[in-house]
Amino acid sequence: MKNPYAVGERVYLRQPTAEDVEGRWHEWLSDEETTRWLALHHWPNSVEAQREFFEASRRSRDRLVLAAVDRETDRHIGVCNLSAINWVHRFCDVAVVIGEPEYRTGPYVLEAMSLLLRIAFMRLNLRIVKSSFAADNDASKAIHEIFGFKEVGRIEQLFWDRGRYVDNVIAALSRPQWMARNDLSAGAEQHA
Amino acid sequence: MALDAAAPGLPDQVRGIVAAIMGVGPAEVAEDASPETLAAWDSLRHMKLILAVEEAFGLRLTDSEIVSITDLQSLVTLVRRKRGGGA
């Protein structure tokens, strides 16, 4: 592992590097399937644009971008994001993208999300993690349900998807909800 | 009504849920079934399987338990332990 920030059984998260930028990261965000349900990234991405994002995010304190890396091969397989971090009200948005197709089977995305939630609530002391996704995105719906997110709102027909508009679901998970689900008491240091 | 995880047929109950979620017959779900051995076991069905098992057995899984599920055997072991049936 190189410079691990959070470590799971199969995946670890670390700060992205210039090598990641020169790799396949920018291609994931041009791929039609990968970007199908993303609110942004419908324009072709480029290594130059990825470089700009990398430089901007490296200096940012309202966005935490982490590379998801396969522990076994040390291969960069995806990107995790805590964005729009509000340090007054202590909330943020969350996103996980597994870019390499062969890692989309099995538990990689679940482990990356698990690590990211722990970072948000236990390391950054955030109170609420928000998210939004297209109502027809079954994978996003399932992962939010698994980790205990509650639907708190819905914007009807916000997203354009292959010939029709679909609803946008707004979901949230609070730290007390996350701690209760993981059998943690306030101030607990143990790992969930 | 939640399934009885302490019942002797627990592995078959879990196998039945796996088969239903994967859209295959129970006979196609071998004891060593996993995403590597069962073509239908993709990421989306993996997540739907977790939700289905939670609902069927009335369980609430922690994050570490969720990521510990890698195949049929780990799922059976987890359900049995959560329902107090030992390892």
Side-chain angles (χ1 to χ4, degrees), chain A residues 131-133 135 150-156 167-172:
Chain A
S131 186
S132 74
F133 54 90
K150 304 294 181 196
E151 180 176 332
V152 295
R154 183 178 281 246
I155 303 173
E156 292 182 359
D167 291 356
N168 176 42
V169 175
I170 301 165

Side-chain angles (χ1 to χ4, degrees), chain A residues 122 179-180 182-190:
Chain A
M122 300 300 274
M179 293 185 76
N182 284 290
D183 300 327
L184 294 170
S185 56
E189 296 297 325
Q190 69 192 84

Side-chain angles (χ1 to χ4, degrees), chain A residues 138-155:
Chain A
D138 290 338
S140 277
K141 185 179 175 189
I143 194 170
H144 286 88
E145 197 174 338
I146 284 172
F147 284 103
F149 282 77
K150 304 294 181 196
E151 180 176 332
V152 295
R154 183 178 281 246
I155 303 173

Side-chain angles (χ1 to χ4, degrees), chain A residues 5-77:
Chain A
Y5 181 70
V7 180
E9 287 289 320
R10 302 163 204 81
V11 178
Y12 77 96
L13 308 183
R14 59 158 170 74
Q15 186 173 38
T17 65
E19 289 175 355
D20 297 331
V21 176
E22 305 303 320
R24 284 173 40 78
W25 186 0
H26 68 285
E27 294 178 10
W28 302 335
L29 300 177
S30 284
D31 178 71
E32 185 174 1
E33 274 305 314
T34 307
T35 59
R36 177 180 177 187
W37 297 113
L38 300 180
L40 304 173
H41 302 294
H42 293 287
W43 226 247
N45 198 23
S46 65
V47 69
E48 291 81 11
Q50 202 61 56
R51 215 173 276 141
E52 285 177 27
F53 175 83
F54 168 69
E55 291 299 336
S57 63
R58 199 162 56 161
R59 288 189 298 270
S60 173
R61 288 297 173 266
D62 61 10
R63 174 191 289 270
L64 174 64
V65 178
L66 295 167
V69 181
D70 174 31
R71 280 187 65 174
E72 191 177 330
T73 61
D74 225 26
R75 183 176 176 190
H76 182 206
I77 62 170

Side-chain angles (χ1 to χ4, degrees), chain B:
Chain B
M1 182 178 173
L3 296 173
D4 182 4
L10 173 66
D12 287 338
Q13 292 174 350
V14 176
R15 183 182 287 125
I17 296 170
V18 171
I21 295 296
M22 303 303 159
V24 299
E28 293 178 61
V29 182
E31 278 188 23
D32 65 347
S34 73
E36 285 72 40
T37 65
L38 198 58
W41 196 323
D42 61 16
S43 180
L44 176 58
R45 290 194 181 97
H46 184 83
M47 291 190 277
K48 287 185 172 179
L49 175 61
I50 292 169
L51 293 169
V53 166
E54 280 189 319
E55 184 178 354
F57 293 100
L59 302 177
R60 188 189 66 187
L61 302 179
T62 67
D63 287 12
S64 60
E65 289 166 342
I66 289 165
V67 301
S68 76
I69 299 168
T70 55
D71 52 23
L72 174 61
Q73 282 306 313
S74 63
L75 188 54
V76 171
T77 301
L78 176 61
V79 173
R80 185 173 282 142
R81 184 172 59 76
K82 291 288 282 186
R83 296 300 297 261

